[in-house]
Amino acid sequence: MMFSEFLEFIQANEGAPNGKPAPTTEPSEIIGTALSRVDGPLKTTGTAKYAADYNFKNMAYAVPVCATVASGKIRSIDTSRAEKMPGVVLVMHHGNAPQIFRNGNGGRNSENRPPFEDDVVSYWGQYVALAVAETFQQAQAAAAAVSVTYDADKFNVSALLDDAMPEIGQPDGPKVLSHRGDFEAAFASAPVKVDAVYRTPVETHNPMEMHGTVAVWDGKRFTLYESSQGVINHMNVLSQMLGVPKEDINVISKFIGSGFGGKLFPWPHSALAATAARQLNRPVKLSVNRKMMFSNVGHRPRTEQRMRLGATPDGKLLGLAQDYRNHTSLHDDIRENCGEATPFLYSTANLRVSSALVKRNVGTPTPMRGPGAVPGLFALESAMDELAIALKMDPVALRLALDTQTDESNGKPFSSRHLKECLQVGSEKFGWAKRTPEIGSMRGKSKDGDDVILGWGVACASWGASRGPSQASLSLLQNGRVRVSSGTQDIGTGTYTIVAQVVSDKTGIPIDRIDVLLGNSSFVPGPTSGGSTATATVVPSIADAANNAIAAMLQITGSAKNSPFAGKTPQDLAMTEGKVHLKDKPASSGVPFEEILKGANLASADGAGKSGGLGSDTKARDYSTHSFGAQFVEVEWDPGIARLRVSRVVSVVDGGRIINPKTATNQMAGAIVMGVGMGLFEETIYDPRNGHAINDNFADYVVPTIADTPQIDVHFLDIPDPQMGEYGARGIGEIGLAGIAPAITAAVYHATGVRVRELPVRIEDVLKAKVAV
Amino acid sequence: MEAFKFSRAATVDQAVAAHAGATTAIAETRFVAGGTTLIDLMKLSVERPKVVVDINGLPLDKVEATPEGGLRLGALTRNADVANHDVVKRDYAVLSEAILSGASPQLRNMATTGGNLLQRTRCPYFRDTAHACNKREPGSGCSAIGGHNRMLAVLGVSSDCIATNPSDQNVALVALEATIDIQGPSGKRSVPAGQFHLLPGTTPHRETALQPGEIITSVTLPKPIAGSKQFYLKLRDRAAYEFALSSTAVVIKLSGGKIEHVRIALGGVGTKPWRALEAEHELTGKSADAANFRIAAEAAMRDAKPASENGYKIELAKRCIVRALTNATVQA
């Protein structure tokens, strides 16, 4: 999905602008404190319960049967052997399954086609049946015993996206997504040109916690234990798929072992588990295994991007074009927004971004960390590196020269753009000034003490900044604690912790007396955790709830009979460090709020919080709002054994105010490791003879290990964005990854002289290097 | 996983008797020790034994000096214990280095010397029953030839199989000229490590010299060659926890500036742990220099037959051999 579509999606959620201006006062010290995660001990002691950790009495286990053709129709399903096996209670398939509905009334699904809708198979691994049994092992054996035959059809999983299609702008041809000036004319006359095609592979989301659903049906209502990045959306979609009112579905995702976008929208296993639970009238657990992760729950789609840059000899960018394609599934048109950053990252008068889809027999793609922008920036920033080389300019200097404070795609000023500072700070921290530009000219020692060639590369990063509407509830309780809740969730990024920090900032109550409740669709609606928008979205509603609860508390203080401040108006009173006191007296003269509640015989003082989307409390619509970054990479190259390692990364991010530098740094460091995977290792490979993602396991799909982790230096500019509402926080989930891969390939070129335009960089590529040992 | 009978053997004779009725060494009856390969493959329905015999109770877990001055590793010694054994580290460093370059600490704590010898290929088509594989189902065909074969073998391949032997340990055992000690229904015998694994030929399902009822009891390392140097080098995509794209084990002794004794074995490139006899021949009696190392490396890979995706392994293996020889002789 394109980021703009994601914005529409989050804006479409419940909640409305409240029209309140963003506060301009500086927050207390707790905002910006490197607080350890409040949920950390639960996770490190194994007591945090993830979706598949839930067990219920009389629970049955479901295991899907996956198609072994990439295209065709199911000719027959023979379940007789499976049904006779010990413990088997149900074998469900398109021929006998209760109806599962399409989702057409709001909310977003992953695959439009519900599971078991018909006998059509359009990708290898698609669920064609579901075996349910008393134990997991019995269900697994039964699933293996289901015999399915197919009338196989032609299919296409080609990694080449060169399908014939009409010209740009023609019906069914590539769509022009951004356009200004006359690119073709500018490029034709440009003295210096780069014209190259860049390719990024299919990548599979591989969070530690795989997808899973535990569905509990009580005869009327569902409780679904999910690993979801959006419990409210999950409830909205499943209520439609299952044909029950929203109030009869409760989606719970208290802890998520990360999602990286793969858990934004429901996948078919959720409706299957719920349908089986309803039919059997007992709880059903369905765990998606690692193999299924490669076929059934989305991926980053393959892209092919032609980049053309025309420049003057002194580095003025005359024109820039990005014509790209990405693959998508047969049923769903998922457009990777590879041109997200292209129209505004650098100054140029002539620009065009065009986009086309090609259909493949693969599962439906879904956003993966930095969807569009990450593969798009690989192409743009690689092309910029090639342009710098063609111009004999330093790649940092070229980018600094092309910086702009106006978004040239729409003429709006940026709300807070500090790309230049990112490059400058990064250069300083990395030691960029010592770089010699000649290929293979820098030497060093590896960790093991071997003589190696060093390569240094840089790339810029950008990701949109936005926020949607959100609600929250907050209660100051008679036991002296605070309870705050919102229907958002913590996908491992630290949302629990930053919510507690915001509450502490507003109430003055210490973190250890604040209970944050998230991950439950029965709470007031909070945001989906995606697109780097959760923090910016949820924080203002939490602050609003806290302010309203304090107001309620002051009201109670003045009106309660036994109150020490009876008769005072809220205007006379304040709450500081959890104590209510006269505004003109110090906090030490005040009374703890719980004492006042006790005296008034009240269980709590409550506040409802509501905040609107981008622009509801600022003039954000008049600005272009984005985060920026610069990422510097060092690789070590040992040509004698073709050994390439990423040894050092400096990542500088302009992400607005950082609420918690510890959890934020953690995200940036994780993104660097993910970027090493994207740059050097990760690719999901479909066997062209059958469409199977053949490396669907952790031995064959290579991800970085700790031994591959470079020395990491993360730095935030920490400049509040005045247009982002309360605190000026933007999001940082995606941007940490955005420039890593192109910085790696730039460094690889600098070390080896090999320009890799198709990720990942493999030993096969660098073996071609001509640099002497 | 399919249902199976499980039993425990208390003596080697019991284990042999339990296995003796099997039609092949790896068909319906399997021994389980560390289980790091077998259990995984059973979960994938690649291995479908009717009977699993637990041999962890057998008295085969000792490391002992032999009267000939060598070292005997019981078949049930754990990889981690062997790799960290003082005598192994001192006299058979190439074995210690090879073991420590493989798998993860957790796996090495479980995996055994005998089990590692029987470790099965990581060929993706072998490991997925949806695809044809002559090793898994004789006569069904080879999906790897013409498929995703980037990781697979270039030496010792046949038109029926190009699966790589994935072990690091076995490469070192071949370079050390270890012998595999076997007990079976007709008594005891020993097989040189270099002959223990079979070429796939037209029978890729037959992987080792083991016959039905036979069990590995120990691996014997010969007396170390005085003054020799050893080195193991493993090349792979990432820095840890991955099977070799190419590896080299070297045992070498120089005398008067000339190579007096050299044994070279290769991993990651062969259908079995690969003894590079041609390379050894090129080097014996020559001086230890870069030019001769490259000549040896060329000789080692002369008969390589690449498939569609693994041609790069030929050059990579040559560089691996040269560097391993260089590092071994720099030490010397």
Side-chain angles (χ1 to χ4, degrees):
Chain A
M1 173 165 57
M2 295 181 37
F3 183 71
S4 53
E5 289 175 55
F6 185 78
L7 293 189
E8 281 168 28
F9 164 72
I10 59 170
Q11 296 278 359
N13 267 355
E14 284 176 39
N18 61 10
K20 291 178 195 167
T24 50
T25 52
E26 271 296 296
S28 66
E29 266 179 26
I30 191 73
I31 301 298
T33 293
L35 194 68
S36 292
R37 302 162 185 259
V38 296
D39 51 332
L42 287 176
K43 289 179 172 173
T44 52
T45 57
T47 39
K49 274 174 100 174
Y50 293 80
D53 292 336
Y54 286 87
N55 292 306
F56 295 93
K57 210 179 148 207
N58 199 33
M59 187 172 75
Y61 293 80
V63 172
V65 180
C66 296
T68 53
V69 296
S71 174
K73 286 193 167 183
I74 298 166
R75 187 194 308 147
S76 69
I77 296 188
D78 182 357
T79 60
S80 55
R81 194 160 77 89
E83 281 166 349
K84 289 189 198 100
M85 291 172 77
V88 175
V89 294
L90 174 67
V91 182
M92 197 164 78
H93 50 81
H94 75 279
N96 67 3
Q99 195 167 2
I100 303 173
F101 301 97
R102 289 196 172 223
N103 169 64
N105 300 292
R108 186 175 171 104
N109 206 351
S110 291
E111 290 189 1
N112 280 317
R113 175 191 175 277
F116 301 170
E117 185 175 56
D118 52 32
D119 59 356
V120 177
V121 174
S122 57
Y123 60 92
W124 177 288
Q126 180 184 317
Y127 303 139
V128 292
L130 186 74
V132 190
E134 299 292 343
T135 70
F136 172 66
Q137 287 78 7
Q138 288 169 336
Q140 213 176 19
V146 173
S147 171
V148 187
T149 61
Y150 305 90
D151 290 317
D153 206 346
K154 279 190 302 192
F155 66 92
N156 184 351
V157 293
S158 174
L160 287 174
L161 307 183
D162 56 356
D163 308 29
M165 69 174 69
E167 295 292 305
I168 292 174
Q170 300 294 312
D172 299 323
K175 276 169 65 172
V176 174
L177 301 181
S178 184
H179 179 261
R180 62 179 181 264
D182 183 347
F183 166 77
E184 295 291 355
F187 185 72
S189 62
V192 181
K193 295 177 192 182
V194 170
D195 183 351
V197 176
Y198 302 88
R199 295 182 173 90
T200 62
V202 170
E203 284 185 275
T204 295
H205 307 71
N206 271 307
M208 185 113 74
E209 183 208 14
M210 293 169 280
H211 293 255
T213 300
V214 177
V216 180
W217 168 253
D218 71 359
K220 180 173 183 292
R221 297 183 81 249
F222 283 106
T223 306
L224 304 180
Y225 298 86
E226 293 283 352
S227 189
S228 169
Q229 292 181 239
V231 290
I232 299 291
N233 179 64
H234 203 103
M235 171 190 72
N236 288 337
V237 172
L238 266 292
S239 93
Q240 296 171 61
M241 294 185 80
L242 299 171
V244 296
K246 284 180 196 176
E247 55 270 27
D248 287 345
I249 298 192
N250 187 18
V251 177
I252 292 172
S253 293
K254 279 183 79 170
F255 297 101
I256 294 124
S258 213
F260 305 118
K263 296 170 178 172
L264 282 170
F265 316 118
W267 291 99
H269 65 268
S270 181
L272 286 181
T275 300
R278 181 163 55 187
Q279 179 161 343
L280 294 168
N281 199 23
R282 59 192 288 193
V284 169
K285 178 185 287 192
L286 195 169
S287 292
V288 173
N289 66 22
R290 189 62 68 184
K291 184 182 175 69
M292 294 173 200
M293 294 287 288
F294 283 83
S295 297
N296 302 73
V297 287
H299 58 269
R300 192 198 290 282
R302 192 170 177 86
T303 76
E304 184 173 300
Q305 307 173 57
R306 183 183 182 195
M307 303 297 302
R308 283 178 292 166
L309 279 62
T312 61
D314 61 348
K316 190 167 173 257
L317 196 56
L318 297 173
L320 168 57
Q322 180 178 27
D323 297 306
Y324 75 90
R325 297 174 169 198
N326 70 265
H327 87 194
T328 189
S329 62
L330 294 201
H331 292 303
D332 303 290
D333 285 349
I334 303 296
R335 194 177 297 277
E336 231 357 57
N337 189 18
C338 293
E340 190 206 309
T342 311
F344 60 79
L345 199 55
Y346 301 113
S347 179
T348 184
N350 303 290
L351 179 138
R352 184 184 71 210
V353 176
S354 78
S355 160
L357 297 178
V358 297
K359 293 283 191 180
R360 291 291 180 264
N361 289 88
V362 296
T364 296
T366 205
M368 183 178 192
R369 202 175 203 176
V374 163
L377 281 162
F378 168 67
L380 176 60
E381 290 301 281
S382 293
M384 284 292 288
D385 195 61
E386 298 205 49
L387 180 63
I389 289 162
L391 292 166
K392 297 191 168 55
M393 269 181 87
D394 178 82
V396 171
L398 174 66
R399 287 169 169 95
L400 287 172
L402 293 173
D403 189 38
T404 168
Q405 285 299 316
T406 303
D407 180 339
E408 294 178 2
S409 73
N410 54 26
K412 293 178 185 175
F414 291 102
S415 58
S416 180
R417 169 170 166 144
H418 304 280
L419 180 61
K420 192 176 263 184
E421 291 87 333
C422 290
L423 283 163
Q424 288 163 339
V425 170
S427 293
E428 180 72 22
K429 291 189 172 290
F430 190 79
W432 187 259
K434 295 195 206 87
R435 182 178 186 266
T436 53
E438 294 75 27
I439 290 163
S441 62
M442 298 180 70
R443 304 297 160 120
K445 289 269 186 201
S446 76
K447 258 194 298 200
D448 305 328
D450 295 329
D451 292 316
V452 289
I453 294 170
L454 301 179
W456 285 8
V458 64
C460 288
S462 176
W463 180 255
S466 191
R467 45 184 268 242
S470 177
Q471 296 182 45
S473 298
L474 188 141
S475 296
L476 301 163
L477 302 172
Q478 208 194 78
N479 64 6
R481 300 187 69 81
V482 185
R483 178 192 187 278
V484 60
S485 63
S486 177
T488 185
Q489 52 287 310
D490 185 334
I491 59 171
T493 53
T495 308
Y496 278 115
T497 310
I498 60 145
V499 167
Q501 285 175 277
V502 169
V503 173
S504 182
D505 175 50
K506 292 295 171 193
T507 63
I509 295 165
I511 297 288
D512 61 7
R513 283 166 56 196
I514 298 167
D515 298 313
V516 184
L517 288 85
L518 307 174
N520 189 324
S521 65
S522 69
F523 298 155
V524 292
T528 286
S529 303
S532 298
T533 59
T535 294
T537 298
V538 77
V539 156
S541 67
I542 300 291
D544 190 45
N547 289 336
N548 290 339
I550 292 166
M553 189 67 230
L554 301 185
Q555 186 71 44
I556 290 163
T557 305
S559 57
K561 255 190 289 180
N562 302 324
S563 167
F565 303 111
K568 297 292 178 190
T569 67
Q571 288 71 34
D572 302 328
L573 299 166
M575 194 169 106
T576 311
E577 293 162 17
K579 288 182 181 143
V580 182
H581 58 97
L582 290 171
K583 207 177 252 174
D584 53 4
K585 295 271 165 57
S588 56
S589 68
V591 178
F593 72 85
E594 59 268 31
E595 298 300 324
I596 293 167
L597 288 172
K598 277 177 201 156
N601 192 26
L602 281 170
S604 63
D606 302 335
K610 203 166 188 181
S611 56
L614 191 73
S616 62
D617 50 5
T618 66
K619 299 218 175 293
R621 298 286 182 194
D622 298 340
Y623 294 86
S624 184
T625 54
H626 302 270
S627 287
F628 295 92
Q631 286 147 357
F632 294 75
V633 165
E634 176 184 275
V635 299
E636 293 174 353
W637 167 234
D638 184 345
I641 49 173
R643 178 174 284 170
L644 182 74
R645 300 277 185 254
V646 176
S647 48
R648 197 158 64 90
V649 177
V650 172
S651 179
V652 183
V653 169
D654 168 27
R657 186 195 300 277
I658 301 303
I659 307 273
N660 184 329
K662 191 170 187 178
T663 55
T665 301
N666 176 251
Q667 280 210 70
M668 294 301 100
I672 288 167
V673 178
M674 198 172 189
V676 171
M678 181 183 180
L680 301 185
F681 306 130
E682 293 187 49
E683 177 177 13
T684 303
I685 295 163
Y686 299 95
D687 189 321
R689 300 166 304 176
N690 47 50
H692 177 196
I694 191 66
N695 57 338
D696 54 2
N697 60 77
F698 269 166
D700 295 311
Y701 185 92
V702 181
V703 297
T705 64
I706 292 297
D708 297 290
T709 302
Q711 184 190 321
I712 288 171
D713 181 7
V714 172
H715 184 80
F716 293 106
L717 296 186
D718 201 15
I719 301 168
D721 185 327
Q723 300 305 325
M724 289 305 293
E726 185 86 36
Y727 302 124
R730 296 197 293 246
I732 49 160
E734 342 268 326
I735 189 151
L737 178 62
I740 302 294
I744 289 174
T745 52
V748 168
Y749 179 81
H750 184 223
T752 68
V754 176
R755 173 64 64 179
V756 180
R757 299 191 182 91
E758 179 168 357
L759 292 177
V761 179
R762 289 195 182 276
I763 285 176
E764 291 91 314
D765 299 313
V766 291
L767 267 172
K768 296 171 193 148
K770 290 191 179 65
V771 178
V773 180
Chain B
M1 189 180 287
E2 299 188 7
F4 58 90
K5 283 195 182 120
F6 182 77
S7 66
R8 286 196 174 88
T11 66
V12 173
D13 287 341
Q14 271 182 19
V16 168
H19 202 293
T23 49
T24 73
I26 56 165
E28 55 273 355
T29 303
R30 299 301 311 267
F31 296 128
V32 64
T36 55
T37 296
L38 182 67
I39 305 299
D40 282 5
L41 291 174
M42 286 170 69
K43 286 181 183 172
L44 296 171
S45 292
V46 171
E47 294 265 16
R48 287 177 287 186
K50 301 283 180 238
V51 179
V52 174
V53 182
D54 179 359
I55 57 168
N56 283 295
L58 303 186
L60 302 174
D61 58 350
K62 304 282 187 303
V63 176
E64 299 163 309
T66 66
E68 295 77 24
L71 199 65
R72 182 175 298 117
L73 311 173
L76 290 173
T77 49
R78 305 285 155 174
N79 283 177
D81 294 335
V82 172
N84 294 311
H85 194 279
D86 286 341
V87 177
V88 174
K89 285 200 287 190
R90 187 191 65 204
D91 293 340
Y92 308 98
V94 69
L95 177 60
S96 178
E97 290 164 11
I99 291 172
L100 293 176
S101 76
S104 65
Q106 294 92 332
L107 287 166
R108 295 195 295 265
N109 286 340
M110 290 298 290
T112 61
T113 301
N116 198 324
L117 274 163
L118 302 176
Q119 190 179 352
R120 306 203 71 189
T121 183
R122 288 296 313 197
C123 175
Y125 299 96
F126 169 73
R127 291 173 63 86
D128 195 318
T129 56
H131 301 288
C133 171
N134 288 323
K135 192 182 273 298
R136 181 168 27 78
E137 284 180 61
S140 63
C142 174
S143 302
I145 297 171
H148 177 50
N149 52 42
R150 177 176 182 267
M151 295 290 289
L152 301 182
V154 294
L155 289 169
V157 298
S158 76
S159 56
D160 287 326
C161 185
I162 59 171
T164 322
N165 185 293
S167 170
D168 293 295
Q169 170 197 282
N170 302 349
V171 180
L173 292 180
V174 168
L176 288 167
E177 297 185 275
T179 52
I180 315 303
D181 308 315
I182 296 165
Q183 188 172 331
S186 46
K188 296 181 181 181
R189 64 188 182 113
S190 288
V191 178
Q195 292 167 29
F196 181 75
H197 294 92
L198 307 179
L199 288 171
T202 56
T203 55
H205 58 288
R206 293 188 61 234
E207 294 180 349
T208 70
L210 285 180
Q211 296 298 320
E214 288 193 320
I215 185 168
I216 300 167
T217 53
S218 59
V219 171
T220 301
L221 304 172
K223 184 181 175 185
I225 296 158
S228 68
K229 298 292 175 185
Q230 305 175 13
F231 196 79
Y232 189 74
L233 177 64
K234 179 173 182 176
L235 305 182
R236 46 188 158 184
D237 294 304
R238 67 182 172 197
Y241 198 31
E242 193 186 9
F243 294 96
L245 297 173
S246 175
S247 72
T248 304
V250 171
V251 178
I252 192 166
K253 183 182 180 184
L254 304 184
S255 179
K258 303 287 184 201
I259 297 166
E260 181 187 299
H261 171 97
V262 62
R263 294 291 178 269
I264 302 171
L266 309 179
V269 290
T271 51
K272 56 182 251 178
W274 197 261
R275 174 90 176 263
L277 286 165
E278 299 84 350
E280 294 173 9
H281 178 74
E282 290 289 350
L283 289 171
T284 306
K286 306 269 177 61
S287 59
D289 60 45
N292 284 334
F293 293 162
R294 184 72 197 188
I295 289 167
E298 298 287 345
M301 301 309 291
R302 194 171 293 139
D303 295 332
K305 289 190 181 62
S308 51
E309 295 180 347
N310 62 0
Y312 73 96
K313 281 195 172 187
I314 298 172
E315 173 59 22
L316 189 67
K318 290 176 188 172
R319 295 195 195 183
C320 188
I321 294 165
V322 170
R323 178 65 64 85
L325 285 164
T326 307
N327 286 5
T329 50
V330 163
Q331 292 176 359

